[in-house]
């Protein structure tokens, strides 16, 4: 028997395809699959909130990675048009990343019980948000964004002072 686009198996396959595309570095395609999977799952009477959370987390990470090429293009741009195009695309991905990661962080913090996976995602959300804010500071030439990045990294070092971790360059 075939599966319909509204079946659990179909939705699960969208999440898995998104994860495979993310792991393969095909971030724009991964974002599309995760968005479709979350939309389909959210319409269910009893949505799988853990799966939605993971998809949103990976969406945030995918947007951050998708911003890397335009950030590189921005530093190598020779014309104003090239800089504006790269800046706009990087900013779009970075803001989408920040929103997704902040949403996951908020969702985890509001949830009463945290699994080890939730704790790891929460720590990573704080770390990635700092990196995203730093990159936004570069793109927007914004001292405020740099201050927000410093605050985000300070939160990580305060919340996880007994855990070793490495800040990204």
């Amino acid at each position: 028997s075939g599966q319909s686009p509204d079946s659990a198996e179909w939705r699960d396959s969208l999440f898995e395809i998104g994860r495979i595309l993310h792991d393969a570095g095909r971030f724009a395609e991964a974002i599309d699959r995760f968005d479709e999977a979350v939309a389909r799952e959210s319409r269910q009477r009893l949505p799988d909130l853990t799966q939605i959370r993971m998809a949103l987390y990976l969406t945030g990470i995918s947007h951050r990675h998708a911003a890397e090429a335009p950030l590189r293009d921005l530093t190598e741009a020779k014309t104003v048009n090239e800089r504006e195009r790269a800046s706009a695309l990087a900013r779009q991905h970075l803001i989408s990343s920040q929103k997704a990661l902040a949403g996951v962080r908020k969702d985890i913090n509001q949830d009463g019980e945290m699994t080890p996976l939730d704790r790891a995602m929460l720590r990573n959300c704080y770390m990635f948000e700092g990196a995203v804010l730093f990159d936004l500071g570069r793109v927007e030439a914004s001292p405020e964004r740099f201050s927000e990045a410093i605050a985000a990294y300070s939160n990580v070092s305060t919340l996880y002072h007994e855990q070793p971790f490495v800040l990204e360059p």
Side-chain angles (χ1 to χ4, degrees):
S1 80
Q3 300 298 322
S4 77
D6 291 325
S7 71
E9 292 83 5
W10 187 281
R11 290 188 311 276
D12 289 347
S13 70
L14 289 173
F15 283 110
E16 287 308 312
I17 291 168
R19 188 183 312 249
I20 290 166
L21 290 166
H22 171 84
D23 291 346
R26 295 168 55 184
F27 302 113
E29 293 170 88
I31 291 164
D32 290 343
R33 288 301 72 72
F34 288 134
D35 287 348
E36 183 180 356
V38 167
R40 287 182 186 278
E41 187 65 35
S42 297
R43 289 194 300 261
Q44 297 307 302
R45 202 163 17 124
L46 296 171
D48 183 340
L49 299 178
T50 302
Q51 199 169 41
I52 290 173
R53 181 183 291 164
M54 179 56 78
L56 293 174
Y57 172 77
L58 289 173
T59 298
I61 303 303
S62 291
H63 273 293
R64 178 160 185 272
H65 287 302
E68 291 171 353
L71 285 170
R72 233 181 355 265
D73 294 346
L74 183 60
T75 61
E76 298 170 1
K78 305 237 185 304
T79 67
V80 171
N81 284 344
E82 289 174 346
R83 277 192 295 281
E84 286 176 356
R85 191 170 32 255
S87 177
L89 186 56
R91 188 172 187 282
Q92 175 188 348
H93 280 298
L94 292 168
I95 287 173
S96 294
S97 177
Q98 182 188 21
K99 286 180 183 177
L101 294 170
V104 170
R105 185 177 37 79
K106 181 180 175 183
D107 184 53
I108 291 172
N109 281 324
Q110 288 177 343
D111 200 356
E113 297 180 31
M114 268 194 244
T115 67
L117 178 61
D118 290 334
R119 284 191 286 281
M121 277 196 302
L122 183 61
R123 182 198 64 226
N124 291 348
C125 283
Y126 282 116
M127 290 291 295
F128 285 125
E129 282 185 88
V132 165
L133 289 165
F134 180 82
D135 286 340
L136 276 169
R138 289 177 31 213
V139 168
E140 297 173 351
S142 168
E144 294 82 18
R145 292 287 194 185
F146 289 123
S147 295
E148 291 172 10
I150 291 168
Y153 283 131
S154 293
N155 284 339
V156 172
S157 63
T158 300
L159 291 170
Y160 302 97
H161 65 279
E162 294 182 11
Q163 294 183 16
F165 59 85
V166 178
L167 291 177
E168 294 185 356

